[in-house]
Amino acid sequence: MWLAKIVVTYKKGILDPEAKTIQHALVTLGYQNIEGLETGKYFEVRLKSDLKRNQAEKLIYEICDRVLSNPVIQKYSVELVEAE
Amino acid sequence: MKFGVVVFPGSNCDHDAYHVLKHVLGARVEYIWHKDTTLRLFDVIVLPGGFSYGDYLRAGAVARFAPIMPEIMHFAEKGGKVIGICNGFQILMEAGLLPGALIPNDHMRFRCQEVYLKVTNNATAFTRVYDAGQVIKMPIAHYCGQYFAEDDILKQLQDQERIAFQYCDSKGEINAAANPNGSKLNIAGILNEEKNVLGMMPHPERAAESILDSEDGLGIFKSLLGSD
């Protein structure tokens, strides 16, 4: 089975108010060494093992571009691994 | 002139829009079920407010793939008039019928309040009964209403007069204090290039009877009723 680990985050320059709030809370708690913080969404997508790696990759990128991320405001990273 | 109001799972302003069109204005209106795959004959399609599919993933991101949506996209591309209100605006954006994105409000709070809007473009099928620059009042109710687009898109919207409404104060001044969610250029509603698709965050259907304090929202539906 293929396992795709996908993280979707905001692009640079897009205001991420949730991240700002969390960062502010951490600094308020005394964690003074925090320089930045981003939030995002994590997805695990399992694919049938009879797909070749390049087929699995193609499918995942298509899903990411079309559904899981909004390319206007978000970017994503993918890690594709073979799993049990 | 016949209106169709799309009903998605989680729509909650569908009945309000239907009520205003049918009972306040006496227009012909029917619901359209999200699972339909053919579109009956309509002149205007309303994508109503609410929380379609629980706003899962992103607001509007799942509704945009509903079985009826290819028909609505086709309707819009042929020049049919489509108005998306609140969640409907988010759906239009996700569907790529309007540029940009709606992201969480800059202050991270759900805002349910009345706002003033400036009618930035009154030369459209949606706004023709208003005066240019008229200040109107209607409510907003959203968490994810901060309009974002890159600078080149914003310039295009301005140059092509595609900004329909902007948040302003009671005097019509467009300033940061009157911006309820951090939207770029105080944008509350925009049009597509052909100006047959309007998306807006404020709720005209909630400001359409005197008992609701404001009837300013009626102008949008009246404009449509009077349009060709």
Side-chain angles (χ1 to χ4, degrees), chain B residues 1-59:
Chain B
M1 175 66 62
K2 194 160 105 184
F3 290 79
V5 178
V6 184
V7 181
F8 296 100
S11 295
N12 66 10
C13 300
D14 43 350
H15 285 256
D16 302 48
Y18 183 95
H19 166 72
V20 169
L21 287 163
K22 182 160 186 163
H23 303 122
V24 179
L25 290 169
R28 290 167 69 203
V29 55
E30 287 176 15
Y31 289 118
I32 301 168
W33 186 234
H34 69 110
K35 279 191 174 165
D36 288 354
T37 50
T38 55
L39 199 58
R40 299 182 299 274
L41 207 58
F42 291 105
D43 300 290
V44 181
I45 302 286
V46 181
L47 298 181
F51 298 86
S52 57
Y53 298 88
D55 274 359
Y56 292 158
L57 193 58
R58 297 175 303 278

Coordinates of all heavy atoms in Angstrom, one line a residue, chain B residues 1-59:
Chain B
M1 N -39.2 35.6 -15.6 CA -38.0 35.6 -14.7 C -38.2 34.6 -13.6 O -39.1 34.7 -12.8 CB -37.9 37.0 -14.1 CG -36.8 37.2 -13.1 SD -35.1 37.1 -13.7 CE -35.0 38.4 -14.9
K2 N -37.3 33.6 -13.7 CA -37.5 32.5 -12.6 C -36.1 32.3 -11.9 O -35.1 32.3 -12.6 CB -37.9 31.2 -13.3 CG -38.4 30.2 -12.3 CD -39.2 29.1 -12.9 CE -38.4 27.8 -13.0 NZ -39.2 26.8 -13.7
F3 N -36.2 32.3 -10.6 CA -35.1 32.1 -9.8 C -35.0 30.6 -9.3 O -36.0 30.0 -9.1 CB -35.1 33.0 -8.5 CG -35.0 34.4 -8.7 CD1 -36.1 35.2 -9.2 CD2 -33.8 35.1 -8.5 CE1 -35.9 36.5 -9.4 CE2 -33.6 36.4 -8.7 CZ -34.7 37.2 -9.2
G4 N -33.7 30.1 -9.2 CA -33.5 28.8 -8.6 C -32.6 29.0 -7.4 O -31.6 29.7 -7.5
V5 N -32.9 28.4 -6.3 CA -32.1 28.5 -5.1 C -31.5 27.1 -4.8 O -32.3 26.1 -4.6 CB -32.9 29.0 -3.8 CG1 -32.0 29.0 -2.6 CG2 -33.5 30.3 -4.1
V6 N -30.2 27.0 -4.8 CA -29.6 25.7 -4.7 C -29.6 25.3 -3.2 O -29.3 26.1 -2.3 CB -28.1 25.7 -5.2 CG1 -27.5 24.3 -5.1 CG2 -28.1 26.1 -6.7
V7 N -29.9 24.1 -2.9 CA -29.9 23.6 -1.5 C -28.8 22.5 -1.4 O -28.9 21.4 -2.0 CB -31.3 22.9 -1.2 CG1 -31.2 22.5 0.3 CG2 -32.4 23.9 -1.4
F8 N -27.8 22.9 -0.6 CA -26.7 21.9 -0.3 C -27.0 21.4 1.1 O -27.7 22.1 1.9 CB -25.4 22.6 -0.3 CG -24.9 23.2 -1.6 CD1 -25.1 24.5 -1.9 CD2 -24.3 22.4 -2.6 CE1 -24.6 25.1 -3.1 CE2 -23.9 22.9 -3.8 CZ -24.1 24.2 -4.1
P9 N -26.4 20.3 1.5 CA -26.5 19.9 2.9 C -25.8 20.9 3.7 O -24.6 21.1 3.5 CB -25.8 18.5 2.9 CG -25.1 18.3 1.6 CD -25.7 19.3 0.7
G10 N -26.4 21.5 4.6 CA -25.8 22.6 5.5 C -26.1 24.0 5.0 O -25.7 24.9 5.7
S11 N -26.8 24.1 3.9 CA -27.3 25.5 3.5 C -28.3 25.9 4.6 O -29.1 25.1 5.1 CB -28.0 25.5 2.2 OG -27.2 25.1 1.1
N12 N -28.2 27.2 5.1 CA -29.2 27.6 6.0 C -29.8 29.0 5.7 O -30.6 29.5 6.5 CB -28.7 27.5 7.5 CG -27.6 28.5 7.7 OD1 -27.3 29.4 6.9 ND2 -26.9 28.4 8.8
C13 N -29.5 29.5 4.6 CA -30.1 30.8 4.1 C -31.0 30.5 2.9 O -31.4 31.5 2.2 CB -29.1 31.8 3.9 SG -28.1 32.2 5.4
D14 N -31.1 29.2 2.5 CA -31.9 28.9 1.3 C -33.3 29.3 1.5 O -33.9 29.9 0.5 CB -31.7 27.4 1.0 CG -31.8 26.5 2.2 OD1 -31.8 27.0 3.3 OD2 -31.9 25.3 2.0
H15 N -33.9 29.0 2.6 CA -35.3 29.4 2.9 C -35.5 30.9 2.9 O -36.5 31.4 2.5 CB -35.8 28.7 4.1 CG -36.1 27.3 4.0 ND1 -37.3 26.7 3.9 CD2 -35.2 26.2 3.9 CE1 -37.2 25.4 3.7 NE2 -36.0 25.1 3.7
D16 N -34.5 31.6 3.5 CA -34.6 33.1 3.5 C -34.6 33.7 2.1 O -35.4 34.6 1.8 CB -33.4 33.7 4.3 CG -33.3 33.2 5.7 OD1 -33.4 31.9 5.9 OD2 -33.1 34.0 6.6
A17 N -33.7 33.2 1.3 CA -33.7 33.7 -0.1 C -35.0 33.3 -0.8 O -35.6 34.2 -1.5 CB -32.5 33.1 -0.8
Y18 N -35.5 32.1 -0.6 CA -36.7 31.7 -1.3 C -37.9 32.6 -0.8 O -38.7 33.0 -1.6 CB -37.0 30.2 -0.9 CG -38.2 29.6 -1.5 CD1 -38.1 28.8 -2.7 CD2 -39.4 29.7 -0.9 CE1 -39.2 28.2 -3.3 CE2 -40.6 29.1 -1.5 CZ -40.4 28.4 -2.6 OH -41.5 27.8 -3.2
H19 N -37.9 32.8 0.5 CA -39.0 33.6 1.1 C -39.0 35.0 0.5 O -40.1 35.5 0.2 CB -38.8 33.6 2.6 CG -39.6 34.7 3.3 ND1 -41.0 34.6 3.5 CD2 -39.3 35.9 3.9 CE1 -41.4 35.7 4.1 NE2 -40.4 36.5 4.4
V20 N -37.9 35.6 0.5 CA -37.8 37.0 0.0 C -38.3 37.1 -1.5 O -39.1 37.9 -1.8 CB -36.4 37.6 0.1 CG1 -36.2 38.9 -0.6 CG2 -36.0 37.8 1.6
L21 N -37.8 36.1 -2.3 CA -38.1 36.1 -3.7 C -39.6 35.9 -3.9 O -40.3 36.6 -4.6 CB -37.3 35.1 -4.4 CG -35.8 35.5 -4.6 CD1 -34.9 34.3 -5.0 CD2 -35.7 36.6 -5.7
K22 N -40.1 34.9 -3.2 CA -41.5 34.4 -3.4 C -42.5 35.3 -2.7 O -43.5 35.8 -3.3 CB -41.7 33.0 -3.0 CG -43.1 32.5 -3.3 CD -43.1 31.0 -3.3 CE -44.5 30.5 -3.8 NZ -44.4 29.1 -4.2
H23 N -42.3 35.5 -1.4 CA -43.3 36.2 -0.6 C -43.2 37.7 -0.5 O -44.2 38.4 -0.3 CB -43.4 35.5 0.8 CG -43.6 34.0 0.8 ND1 -42.7 33.1 1.3 CD2 -44.6 33.3 0.2 CE1 -43.1 31.9 1.1 NE2 -44.3 32.0 0.4
V24 N -42.0 38.2 -0.6 CA -41.8 39.6 -0.5 C -41.9 40.2 -1.9 O -42.6 41.3 -2.0 CB -40.4 40.0 0.2 CG1 -40.3 41.5 0.2 CG2 -40.3 39.4 1.6
L25 N -41.3 39.6 -2.9 CA -41.3 40.2 -4.2 C -42.3 39.5 -5.2 O -42.5 40.0 -6.3 CB -39.9 40.1 -4.8 CG -38.9 41.0 -4.1 CD1 -37.5 40.7 -4.5 CD2 -39.2 42.5 -4.4
G26 N -42.8 38.4 -4.8 CA -43.8 37.7 -5.7 C -43.2 37.1 -6.9 O -43.8 37.0 -8.0
A27 N -41.9 36.8 -6.8 CA -41.2 36.3 -8.0 C -41.4 34.7 -8.1 O -41.8 34.1 -7.1 CB -39.7 36.6 -7.9
R28 N -41.1 34.2 -9.3 CA -41.2 32.7 -9.4 C -39.8 32.2 -8.9 O -38.7 32.6 -9.3 CB -41.4 32.4 -10.9 CG -42.8 32.7 -11.4 CD -42.8 32.6 -12.9 NE -42.7 31.2 -13.3 CZ -42.3 30.9 -14.6 NH1 -41.9 31.9 -15.4 NH2 -42.2 29.7 -14.9
V29 N -39.9 31.2 -8.1 CA -38.7 30.6 -7.5 C -38.9 29.1 -7.2 O -40.0 28.7 -6.7 CB -38.2 31.4 -6.3 CG1 -39.3 31.5 -5.2 CG2 -37.0 30.9 -5.6
E30 N -37.8 28.4 -7.4 CA -37.9 26.9 -7.0 C -36.5 26.6 -6.4 O -35.5 27.2 -6.7 CB -38.0 26.1 -8.3 CG -39.4 26.1 -8.9 CD -39.4 25.3 -10.2 OE1 -38.5 24.5 -10.5 OE2 -40.4 25.5 -11.0
Y31 N -36.6 25.5 -5.6 CA -35.3 25.0 -5.0 C -34.7 24.1 -6.0 O -35.3 23.5 -6.9 CB -35.6 24.2 -3.7 CG -36.0 25.0 -2.6 CD1 -37.3 24.9 -2.0 CD2 -35.1 26.0 -2.0 CE1 -37.7 25.6 -0.9 CE2 -35.5 26.7 -0.9 CZ -36.8 26.5 -0.3 OH -37.1 27.3 0.7
I32 N -33.4 24.0 -6.0 CA -32.6 23.1 -6.8 C -31.8 22.2 -5.8 O -31.0 22.7 -5.0 CB -31.6 23.9 -7.7 CG1 -32.3 24.9 -8.6 CG2 -30.8 22.9 -8.5 CD1 -31.4 25.9 -9.3
W33 N -32.0 20.9 -6.0 CA -31.3 20.0 -5.1 C -29.9 19.8 -5.5 O -29.6 19.6 -6.7 CB -32.1 18.7 -5.0 CG -31.6 17.6 -4.1 CD1 -31.3 16.3 -4.4 CD2 -31.5 17.8 -2.6 NE1 -31.0 15.7 -3.2 CE2 -31.0 16.5 -2.1 CE3 -31.6 18.8 -1.7 CZ2 -30.7 16.3 -0.8 CZ3 -31.3 18.6 -0.4 CH2 -30.9 17.4 0.1
H34 N -29.0 19.7 -4.6 CA -27.5 19.7 -4.9 C -27.2 18.4 -5.7 O -26.2 18.3 -6.4 CB -26.7 19.8 -3.7 CG -26.8 18.6 -2.7 ND1 -25.8 17.7 -2.6 CD2 -27.8 18.1 -2.0 CE1 -26.2 16.7 -1.7 NE2 -27.4 17.0 -1.4
K35 N -28.0 17.3 -5.5 CA -27.7 16.1 -6.2 C -28.2 16.0 -7.6 O -28.0 15.0 -8.3 CB -28.2 14.9 -5.4 CG -27.3 14.5 -4.2 CD -27.7 13.2 -3.6 CE -26.7 12.8 -2.6 NZ -27.2 11.7 -1.7
D36 N -29.0 17.0 -8.0 CA -29.5 17.0 -9.4 C -28.4 17.1 -10.4 O -27.4 17.7 -10.1 CB -30.5 18.2 -9.6 CG -31.8 18.0 -8.9 OD1 -32.0 16.9 -8.3 OD2 -32.6 19.0 -8.9
T37 N -28.5 16.5 -11.5 CA -27.5 16.6 -12.5 C -27.9 17.3 -13.8 O -27.2 17.5 -14.7 CB -27.0 15.2 -12.9 OG1 -28.1 14.4 -13.2 CG2 -26.2 14.5 -11.8
T38 N -29.2 17.7 -13.8 CA -29.7 18.5 -14.9 C -30.3 19.8 -14.3 O -30.9 19.7 -13.2 CB -30.7 17.8 -15.8 OG1 -31.8 17.4 -15.0 CG2 -30.1 16.7 -16.5
L39 N -30.3 20.9 -15.0 CA -30.8 22.1 -14.5 C -32.0 22.5 -15.3 O -32.0 22.5 -16.5 CB -29.7 23.2 -14.7 CG -29.8 24.5 -13.9 CD1 -29.8 24.2 -12.4 CD2 -28.6 25.4 -14.2
R40 N -33.1 22.7 -14.5 CA -34.3 23.2 -15.2 C -34.1 24.6 -15.7 O -33.0 25.2 -15.5 CB -35.5 23.1 -14.2 CG -35.8 21.7 -13.7 CD -37.0 21.7 -12.8 NE -36.9 22.5 -11.6 CZ -36.3 22.1 -10.5 NH1 -35.7 20.9 -10.4 NH2 -36.2 22.8 -9.4
L41 N -35.1 25.2 -16.4 CA -34.9 26.5 -17.0 C -35.0 27.6 -15.9 O -36.1 27.8 -15.3 CB -36.0 26.7 -18.1 CG -35.6 27.6 -19.2 CD1 -34.4 27.1 -19.9 CD2 -36.8 27.7 -20.2
F42 N -33.9 28.3 -15.7 CA -33.9 29.4 -14.7 C -33.2 30.6 -15.4 O -32.4 30.5 -16.3 CB -33.1 29.0 -13.5 CG -33.7 28.0 -12.7 CD1 -33.3 26.7 -12.7 CD2 -34.8 28.3 -11.9 CE1 -33.9 25.7 -11.9 CE2 -35.4 27.3 -11.1 CZ -35.0 26.0 -11.1
D43 N -33.6 31.8 -14.8 CA -32.9 33.0 -15.3 C -31.8 33.4 -14.3 O -30.8 34.0 -14.7 CB -33.9 34.2 -15.4 CG -35.0 33.8 -16.4 OD1 -34.7 33.8 -17.6 OD2 -36.1 33.5 -16.0
V44 N -32.0 33.1 -13.0 CA -31.0 33.5 -12.0 C -30.9 32.3 -11.0 O -31.9 31.7 -10.6 CB -31.5 34.7 -11.2 CG1 -30.4 35.1 -10.2 CG2 -31.8 35.9 -12.1
I45 N -29.6 32.0 -10.7 CA -29.4 30.9 -9.8 C -28.8 31.6 -8.5 O -27.9 32.5 -8.6 CB -28.3 29.9 -10.3 CG1 -28.8 29.3 -11.6 CG2 -28.0 28.9 -9.2 CD1 -29.8 28.3 -11.5
V46 N -29.3 31.2 -7.3 CA -28.8 31.7 -6.1 C -28.1 30.6 -5.3 O -28.7 29.5 -5.1 CB -30.0 32.2 -5.2 CG1 -29.5 32.8 -3.8 CG2 -30.9 33.3 -5.9
L47 N -26.8 30.9 -5.0 CA -26.1 30.0 -4.1 C -26.2 30.6 -2.7 O -25.6 31.6 -2.5 CB -24.7 29.8 -4.5 CG -24.4 29.2 -5.9 CD1 -22.9 29.1 -6.2 CD2 -25.0 27.8 -6.1
P48 N -27.0 30.0 -1.8 CA -27.3 30.6 -0.6 C -26.2 30.5 0.5 O -25.2 29.7 0.3 CB -28.5 29.9 -0.1 CG -28.4 28.5 -0.6 CD -27.6 28.6 -1.9
G49 N -26.4 31.2 1.6 CA -25.4 31.1 2.7 C -25.7 29.9 3.5 O -26.7 29.2 3.4
G50 N -24.7 29.6 4.4 CA -24.8 28.5 5.3 C -23.5 27.8 5.5 O -22.4 28.5 5.4
F51 N -23.5 26.6 5.8 CA -22.2 25.8 6.0 C -22.3 24.5 5.2 O -22.4 23.5 5.8 CB -22.1 25.6 7.5 CG -22.0 26.8 8.3 CD1 -23.1 27.5 8.8 CD2 -20.7 27.4 8.6 CE1 -23.0 28.7 9.5 CE2 -20.6 28.6 9.3 CZ -21.8 29.2 9.7
S52 N -22.3 24.7 3.9 CA -22.4 23.5 3.1 C -21.3 22.5 3.4 O -20.1 22.8 3.6 CB -22.3 23.9 1.6 OG -21.1 24.5 1.3
Y53 N -21.7 21.2 3.6 CA -20.8 20.1 3.9 C -20.0 20.5 5.2 O -18.8 20.1 5.3 CB -19.9 19.8 2.8 CG -20.7 19.3 1.6 CD1 -21.2 20.1 0.6 CD2 -21.0 17.9 1.4 CE1 -21.9 19.7 -0.5 CE2 -21.8 17.5 0.3 CZ -22.2 18.4 -0.6 OH -22.9 17.9 -1.7
G54 N -20.6 21.2 6.1 CA -20.0 21.5 7.4 C -18.7 22.4 7.2 O -17.9 22.5 8.1
D55 N -18.6 23.0 6.0 CA -17.4 23.8 5.8 C -16.1 23.0 5.9 O -15.0 23.5 6.2 CB -17.3 25.1 6.7 CG -18.0 26.3 6.1 OD1 -18.6 26.1 5.0 OD2 -18.0 27.3 6.7
Y56 N -16.3 21.7 5.8 CA -15.1 20.8 5.9 C -14.1 21.1 4.8 O -14.4 21.5 3.8 CB -15.5 19.3 5.8 CG -16.3 18.8 7.0 CD1 -17.1 17.7 6.9 CD2 -16.3 19.5 8.2 CE1 -17.9 17.3 7.9 CE2 -17.1 19.1 9.3 CZ -17.9 17.9 9.1 OH -18.6 17.5 10.2
L57 N -12.8 20.9 5.2 CA -11.7 21.1 4.3 C -11.4 22.6 4.2 O -10.5 23.1 4.8 CB -11.9 20.5 2.9 CG -10.6 20.4 2.0 CD1 -9.5 19.7 2.7 CD2 -11.0 19.8 0.7
R58 N -12.3 23.3 3.4 CA -12.3 24.8 3.4 C -13.7 25.2 3.1 O -14.4 24.4 2.4 CB -11.4 25.4 2.3 CG -9.9 25.1 2.4 CD -9.2 25.6 1.2 NE -9.7 25.1 -0.1 CZ -9.3 23.9 -0.6 NH1 -8.5 23.1 0.1 NH2 -9.9 23.4 -1.7
A59 N -14.2 26.3 3.5 CA -15.6 26.7 3.2 C -15.8 26.7 1.7 O -15.1 27.3 0.9 CB -15.8 28.1 3.7

